[in-house]
């Protein structure tokens, strides 16, 4: 077997092997049990005391959501402020990069605030180091913490009892940051720094190459930022081309580490659910359904990338190493396919190869990953999306067997199902209406010059951009000329809608269900921790997504496939 | 959203109403603001500076990027590819940004883009012209396709080996000696089994210059 494929298998197995104990640890953190990171407790207590927050006060789901939105609002203003004043930053701007235009600052602030990290700028020329750390790194920590806190609230709501008290948002948020995200990020940052990722406050270096030309090389405090961008499924790179940049991702080892942590916490959270509720089989059901979807996308993507572009094979050259346009030789086609899948099934969106240059069906797979957005999904929010599909699956199964649908001893009634369906349909609505609007504008005035590729692939570029925005992913078919007011504003709006509603929806469902009477399991209960139910959820996900997205995929990647195969 | 179900299930009357917050939304905003400031101190300064301090001590070149030297002169960063266009050097891969390390970028050309395919065809023809002893089916794809970053420092072993005869010819070196040099420079997969083999073009060319001067 080729060493490229062995690398991919090793990455996946390592992730699961680390994810299982990490899931156990996360469950302990959210339950408030003792962990070996309890030495962080004084820091957390100090923060809460100074802020005047009583972290032991339990909140209702509505109070939690108010707290979530309030703190997010403050982060938004902080980000806008830093981005629009970059040219005046008193320190950490050695390259003298300029301030952002208002529409670009809006897009960037929203995009990082919602954990999406869509980037319509290039890090080397568009950001000061102060912004890289003050906006990007900061938001990459706290927004990941926000998503995980929302997830913890839902976990809490699923316990066997009737209550309105669902923990304290600030407590979950802070612990997610200090006990989970921070330690993992530190380990990753140190490893990639050793591998050669820069961590310096020096500006660009100018060097005379061997051939005698001048070459400028951008540097910066990259290692610290790259670590959390991967760990928190954020994905916004330090350099313009993200982790395909040889300083951001210098070796195969750094690539393995960065790729593993993309899916590590999302996988760990599936297990954490099982440990938290003491229903390990349920955790395995969630992990199993997610993994089945992930592996389907992974194997086909790796296969197509390793087989190369047939249009280039026809030219008679040696394409044994796969399709290499937009890829890096230290990583290879297989590891690029692995990353492309990992980054799109989660809401990460970092890249180690240019997705615009992927072969057509791999490009489609990356879009499917984002359209479904719950085959692992982003930290915290991935499980929330999956939870919505569980509710729908419970409802449909209930109808099929003629019983009142129940999930974990709570009745699933009309209001919960309505919310779930609205959240499930919001995603296709935002993607398809955005794409339709952009396609319309383009057809009316082809001189807007957005597209880097003609024909079907050009359509894919627009479809991908809204899919990425709505999935809070942040990767792109980067040929799209997206730093224009049209794209900055429309994707900014999609970003905001597609972040907060899909958090509030599932939390509301969970909050409403938590209040209901607990019905002990009986012979008539639909078992939700079985393989059969896992399969049911899996099919519900595919049916909802296929109905919504298949026509648009036919117009883009599938049509392109038939032009070159 | 008052729960109507409450009347239906007497058990639920026992549920305690949550303790109302002593402060309203204004209170939450103020709490959030202070917590934000503290988090900024922690994640924007403390965390990066601790990674910076560790890098300063332990990372290659103090975290400023690994430098490659030739005859005591710094000629580039090991991890950042550079343009080699002269025939006496091994070429790097094509780059969409001409190896401008102040920026970075790929072509973002789709697989069916006719402009892209014409460009690849042009590169194949140009390569074959410069390397007349090489057969078309021996040209590896990376030599005619642009990398993702535009700064790819590596080639596959085959990407270097097909250039051996040209380089040896231009430099008047024995072909076998140059081929041995390439083979020496091949970096094995991680722990021997994970990922691709590769050759760092800058290091290869530095070694090539050394070989030439030793002669």
């Amino acid at each position: 077997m080729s060493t490229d494929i062995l690398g991919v298998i090793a990455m996946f197995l390592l992730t699961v092997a680390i994810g299982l104990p990490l899931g156990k640890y996360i469950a302990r953190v959210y339950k408030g049990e003792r962990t070996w990171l309890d030495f962080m407790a004084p820091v957390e207590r100090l923060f809460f005391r100074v802020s005047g927050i009583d972290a032991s006060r339990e909140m209702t789901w509505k109070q939690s959501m108010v707290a979530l939105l309030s703190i997010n609002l403050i982060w938004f203003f902080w980000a806008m402020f830093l981005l629009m004043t970059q040219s005046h930053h008193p320190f950490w701007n050695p390259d003298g990069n300029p301030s952002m235009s208002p529409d670009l600052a809006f897009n960037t602030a929203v995009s990082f605030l919602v954990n999406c990290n869509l980037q319509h700028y290039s890090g080397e020329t568009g950001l000061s180091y102060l912004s890289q750390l003050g906006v990007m790194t900061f938001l990459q920590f706290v927004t990941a913490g926000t998503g995980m806190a929302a997830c913890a609230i839902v976990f809490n709501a699923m316990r066997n009892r009737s209550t309105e008290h669902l923990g304290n948002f600030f407590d979950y948020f802070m612990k997610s940051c200090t006990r989970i995200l921070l330690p993992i990020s530190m380990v990753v940052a140190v490893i990639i720094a050793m591998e050669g990722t820069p961590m310096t406050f020096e500006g660009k270096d100018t060097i005379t190459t061997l051939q005698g030309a001048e070459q400028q090389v951008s540097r910066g405090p990259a290692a610290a930022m790259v670590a959390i961008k991967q760990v928190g499924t954020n994905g916004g790179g330090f350099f313009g081309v993200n982790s395909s940049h040889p300083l951001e991702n210098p070796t195969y080892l750094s690539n393995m580490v960065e790729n593993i942590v993309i899916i590590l916490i999302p996988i760990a959270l599936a297990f954490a659910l099982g440990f938290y509720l003491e229903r390990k089989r349920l955790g395995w059901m969630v992990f199993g359904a997610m993994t089945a979807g992930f592996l389907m996308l992974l194997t086909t993507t790796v296969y197509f990338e390793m087989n190369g572009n047939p249009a280039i094979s026809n030219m008679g050259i040696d394409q044994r190493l796969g399709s290499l346009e937009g890829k890096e030789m230290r990583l290879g086609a297989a590891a690029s396919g692995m990353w492309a899948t990992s980054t799109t099934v989660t809401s990460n969106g970092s890249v180690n190869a240019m997705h615009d240059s992927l072969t057509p069906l791999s490009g489609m797979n990356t879009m499917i990953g984002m359209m479904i957005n719950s085959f692992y999904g982003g930290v915290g929010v991935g499980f929330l999306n999956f939870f919505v599909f569980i509710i729908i699956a419970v409802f449909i199964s209930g109808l099929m067997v003629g019983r009142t649908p129940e999930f974990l001893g709570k009745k699933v009634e009309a209001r919960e199902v309505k919310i779930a369906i609205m959240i499930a349909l919001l995603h296709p609505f935002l993607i398809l209406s955005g794409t339709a609007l952009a396609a319309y504008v383009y057809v009316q005035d082809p001189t807007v010059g957005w597209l880097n590729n003609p024909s079907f692939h050009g359509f894919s570029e627009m479809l991908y951009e809204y899919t990425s925005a709505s999935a809070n992913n942040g990767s792109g078919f980067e040929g799209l000329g997206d730093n224009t007011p049209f794209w900055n504003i429309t994707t900014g709006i999609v970003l905001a809608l597609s972040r907060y509603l899909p958090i509030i929806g599932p939390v509301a469902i969970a909050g409403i269900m938590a209040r209901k009477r607990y019905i002990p399991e009986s012979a008539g209960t639909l078992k939700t921790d079985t393989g059969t139910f896992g399969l049911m959820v899996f099919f519900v996900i595919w049916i909802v997504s296929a109905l919504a997205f298949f026509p648009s995929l036919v117009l883009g990647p599938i049509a392109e496939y038939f032009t070159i195969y | 959203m008052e729960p109507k179900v409450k009347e239906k299930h007497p058990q639920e009357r026992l549920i305690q109403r949550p303790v109302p917050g002593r402060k309203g939304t204004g209170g939450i905003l103020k709490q959030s603001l202070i917590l934000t400031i503290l988090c900024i101190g922690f994640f924007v300064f403390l965390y990066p500076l601790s990674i910076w301090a560790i890098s300063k001590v332990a990372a290659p070149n103090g975290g400023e990027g690994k430098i490659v030297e030739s005859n005591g002169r710094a000629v580039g960063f090991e991890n950042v590819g550079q343009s080699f266009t002269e025939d006496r050097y091994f070429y790097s891969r094509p780059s969409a940004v001409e190896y401008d390390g102040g920026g970075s970028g790929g072509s973002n050309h789709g697989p069916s883009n006719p402009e892209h395919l014409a460009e690849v065809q042009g590169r194949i023809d140009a390569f074959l012209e410069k390397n007349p002893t090489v057969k078309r089916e021996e040209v590896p794809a990376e030599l005619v396709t642009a990398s993702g970053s535009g700064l790819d420092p590596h080639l596959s072993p085959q990407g270097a080996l097909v250039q051996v005869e040209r380089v040896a010819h231009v430099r008047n070196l024995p072909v076998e000696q140059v081929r041995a040099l390439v083979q020496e420079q091949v970096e094995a997969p991680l722990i021997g089994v994970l990922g691709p083999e590769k050759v760092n073009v800058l290091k290869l060319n530095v070694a090539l210059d050394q070989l030439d001067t030793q002669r």
Side-chain angles (χ1 to χ4, degrees):
Chain A
M1 200 183 294
S2 88
T3 52
D4 286 32
I5 293 180
L6 279 178
V8 169
I9 295 173
M11 274 187 262
F12 180 71
L13 293 181
L14 275 171
T15 314
V16 178
I18 306 170
L20 199 55
L22 180 64
K24 202 169 194 171
Y25 167 77
I26 292 176
R28 293 182 71 88
V29 169
Y30 288 151
K31 276 185 179 173
E33 292 173 3
R34 288 164 57 97
T35 63
W36 62 276
L37 271 174
D38 282 347
F39 63 85
M40 293 301 294
V43 178
E44 295 155 6
R45 274 203 300 273
L46 177 73
F47 278 23
F48 288 137
R49 193 175 316 132
V50 177
S51 325
I53 293 170
D54 176 6
S56 62
R57 182 173 72 90
E58 299 235 359
M59 296 178 167
T60 63
W61 71 265
K62 284 184 204 164
Q63 288 169 331
S64 286
M65 291 298 98
V66 169
L68 184 151
L69 293 172
S70 314
I71 200 164
N72 272 249
L73 189 70
I74 288 168
W75 296 339
F76 171 75
F77 287 115
W78 163 251
M80 283 295 278
F81 169 72
L82 273 194
L83 294 173
M84 289 184 65
T85 54
Q86 285 187 136
S87 55
H88 305 291
H89 285 178
F91 56 95
W92 288 357
N93 188 14
D95 295 335
N97 288 337
S99 304
M100 281 189 178
S101 68
D103 61 303
L104 181 58
F106 168 74
N107 186 281
T108 308
V110 172
S111 151
F112 278 77
L113 183 67
V114 303
N115 193 253
C116 173
N117 298 202
L118 201 64
Q119 294 168 294
H120 290 177
Y121 63 90
S122 253
E124 295 96 327
T125 51
L127 289 181
S128 70
Y129 293 167
L130 181 57
S131 293
Q132 289 275 23
L133 296 175
V135 179
M136 281 58 208
T137 308
F138 170 67
L139 288 180
Q140 286 172 339
F141 268 106
V142 294
T143 62
T146 302
M148 294 176 73
C151 181
I153 293 169
V154 173
F155 280 10
N156 190 330
M158 287 159 73
R159 289 155 75 180
N160 308 344
R161 71 213 198 293
S162 296
T163 181
E164 293 200 321
H165 303 285
L166 300 176
N168 183 294
F169 169 77
F170 289 117
D171 189 42
Y172 286 140
F173 158 73
M174 205 64 230
K175 280 184 177 157
S176 305
C177 291
T178 52
R179 310 268 181 118
I180 300 166
L181 295 167
L182 182 69
I184 302 177
S185 299
M186 292 201 70
V187 172
V188 173
V190 170
I191 294 175
I192 62 176
M194 297 303 155
E195 288 299 290
T197 299
M199 187 64 208
T200 171
F201 293 97
E202 301 289 323
K204 282 192 180 108
D205 198 7
T206 306
I207 215 155
T208 307
T209 66
L210 197 57
Q211 245 186 215
E214 293 263 288
Q215 188 189 31
Q216 287 201 316
V217 175
S218 283
R219 296 177 295 179
M225 190 259 205
V226 172
I228 180 61
K229 117 186 162 193
Q230 296 301 99
V231 172
T233 60
N234 297 286
F238 193 91
F239 300 102
V241 289
N242 214 297
S243 280
S244 67
H245 196 293
L247 290 178
E248 190 148 340
N249 186 8
T251 62
Y252 197 79
L253 177 63
S254 70
N255 185 69
M256 285 185 73
V257 172
E258 289 181 21
N259 197 150
I260 284 172
V261 294
I262 292 177
I263 44 176
L264 179 60
I265 292 183
I267 286 183
L269 279 172
F271 292 126
L273 172 75
F275 291 116
Y276 187 91
L277 299 177
E278 283 157 21
R279 290 170 182 265
K280 278 185 209 144
R281 285 174 56 99
L282 186 70
W284 280 103
M285 184 280 284
V286 173
F287 171 76
M290 287 177 164
T291 301
F294 173 72
L295 291 180
M296 277 171 71
L297 296 174
L298 173 70
T299 46
T300 44
T301 305
V302 169
Y303 171 83
F304 278 110
E305 289 316 298
M306 291 188 78
N307 271 295
N309 177 356
I312 289 182
S313 302
N314 288 341
M315 296 175 191
I317 61 165
D318 173 7
Q319 224 186 165
R320 264 177 308 177
L321 296 178
S323 169
L324 294 175
E325 180 72 31
K327 293 198 180 63
E328 301 285 304
M329 298 314 293
R330 66 189 176 284
L331 311 176
S336 301
M338 166 80 177
W339 186 301
T341 313
S342 315
T343 196
T344 48
V345 294
T346 64
S347 72
N348 187 289
S350 61
V351 297
N352 75 353
M354 295 297 109
H355 287 192
D356 218 345
S357 301
L358 293 176
T359 55
L361 294 189
S362 308
M364 179 179 78
N365 281 349
T366 59
M367 283 193 252
I368 291 177
M370 295 186 288
M371 286 162 174
I372 290 173
N373 211 16
S374 56
F375 288 155
Y376 301 140
V379 291
V381 291
F383 175 73
L384 297 188
N385 293 336
F386 194 83
F387 179 69
V388 166
F389 285 118
I390 289 180
I391 296 297
I392 298 174
V394 164
F395 176 66
I396 294 176
S397 319
L399 291 184
M400 283 162 68
V401 296
R403 290 203 187 96
T404 314
E406 277 169 28
F407 181 55
L408 301 184
K410 301 295 176 78
K411 278 193 185 137
V412 177
E413 289 169 302
R415 197 208 266 166
E416 294 88 270
V417 176
K418 276 185 205 158
I419 299 175
I421 292 286
M422 279 193 309
I423 298 301
L425 294 184
L426 175 74
H427 189 49
F429 173 75
L430 290 174
I431 294 171
L432 297 175
S433 54
T435 310
L437 178 68
Y440 176 78
V441 172
Y442 185 82
V443 168
Q444 292 299 306
D445 180 15
T447 58
V448 287
W450 294 332
L451 303 183
N452 188 43
N453 290 285
S455 185
F456 305 120
H457 197 87
F459 176 78
S460 299
E461 286 185 337
M462 296 190 284
L463 178 64
Y464 194 105
E465 186 73 3
Y466 284 107
T467 307
S468 170
S470 183
N472 285 177
N473 186 275
S475 61
F477 272 15
E478 289 298 344
L480 184 75
D482 49 19
N483 183 15
T484 62
F486 176 85
W487 286 100
N488 284 336
I489 293 167
T490 57
T491 53
I493 294 168
V494 169
L495 286 168
L497 288 175
S498 61
R499 165 74 168 179
Y500 295 109
L501 295 179
I503 286 182
I504 295 171
V507 171
I509 296 174
I512 294 168
M513 284 175 52
R515 229 161 35 188
K516 292 186 184 179
R517 194 162 58 103
Y518 177 72
I519 311 158
E521 247 175 63
S522 68
T525 308
L526 172 75
K527 294 236 183 327
T528 47
D529 55 1
T530 60
T532 318
F533 185 73
L535 208 61
M536 184 72 197
V537 181
F538 185 74
F539 282 121
V540 164
I541 291 176
W542 278 107
I543 291 166
V544 170
S545 307
L547 285 176
F549 294 113
F550 189 67
S552 60
L553 291 173
V554 168
L555 285 176
I558 295 179
E560 187 186 18
Y561 173 85
F562 286 111
T563 60
I564 57 173
Y565 280 81
Chain B
M1 290 259 194
E2 275 307 300
K4 285 183 211 133
V5 283
K6 225 178 157 186
E7 270 68 46
K8 289 183 197 159
H9 307 305
Q11 294 95 320
E12 293 202 0
R13 294 216 185 97
L14 300 175
I15 297 173
Q16 259 189 328
R17 298 294 302 173
V19 188
R22 267 159 299 170
K23 296 159 184 171
T25 316
I28 283 210
L29 275 177
K30 190 178 159 211
Q31 292 171 340
S32 303
L33 179 68
I34 300 172
L35 187 61
T36 299
I37 294 169
L38 294 170
C39 285
I40 288 171
F42 200 71
F43 294 117
V44 178
F45 295 97
L46 205 59
Y47 159 71
L49 288 175
S50 59
I51 302 294
W52 173 79
I54 295 170
S55 299
K56 198 88 194 154
V57 179
N61 194 21
E64 295 185 8
K66 289 186 202 172
I67 302 280
V68 176
E69 292 190 350
S70 171
N71 302 323
R73 177 174 83 85
V75 291
F77 285 88
E78 181 182 323
N79 290 318
V80 180
Q82 43 185 257
S83 175
F84 288 102
T85 47
E86 293 172 16
D87 292 343
R88 63 200 185 94
Y89 285 121
F90 287 91
Y91 304 150
S92 300
R93 295 184 65 187
S95 161
V97 294
E98 301 306 327
Y99 288 96
D100 170 16
S104 54
S107 72
N108 285 310
H109 281 151
S112 64
N113 187 333
E115 199 184 307
H116 165 60
L117 296 173
E119 195 176 18
V120 172
Q121 187 65 60
R123 288 181 189 140
I124 296 172
D125 296 340
F127 185 82
L128 290 175
E129 199 176 307
K130 293 274 193 181
N131 300 270
T133 56
V134 173
K135 292 195 210 79
R136 180 174 287 262
E137 61 270 23
E138 292 168 346
V139 179
E142 82 259 22
L143 282 174
V144 293
T145 51
S147 63
S149 60
L151 303 171
D152 192 345
H154 295 109
L155 289 175
S156 70
Q158 169 74 355
L161 287 170
V162 290
Q163 305 187 48
V164 161
E165 292 197 18
R166 182 196 78 233
V167 171
H169 178 75
V170 173
R171 296 207 175 218
N172 242 334
L173 285 165
V175 171
E176 280 318 307
Q177 204 178 353
V178 179
R179 183 166 293 136
L181 182 77
V182 171
Q183 253 129 20
E184 225 170 78
Q185 288 287 327
V186 171
E187 297 170 22
L190 182 63
I191 59 167
V193 288
L194 305 176
E197 289 186 313
K198 58 197 185 297
V199 178
N200 184 304
V201 186
L202 175 58
K203 289 205 302 207
L204 172 63
N205 281 328
V206 167
L208 181 67
D209 273 354
Q210 261 169 12
L211 185 76
D212 218 357
T213 46
Q214 276 163 14
R215 191 171 47 149

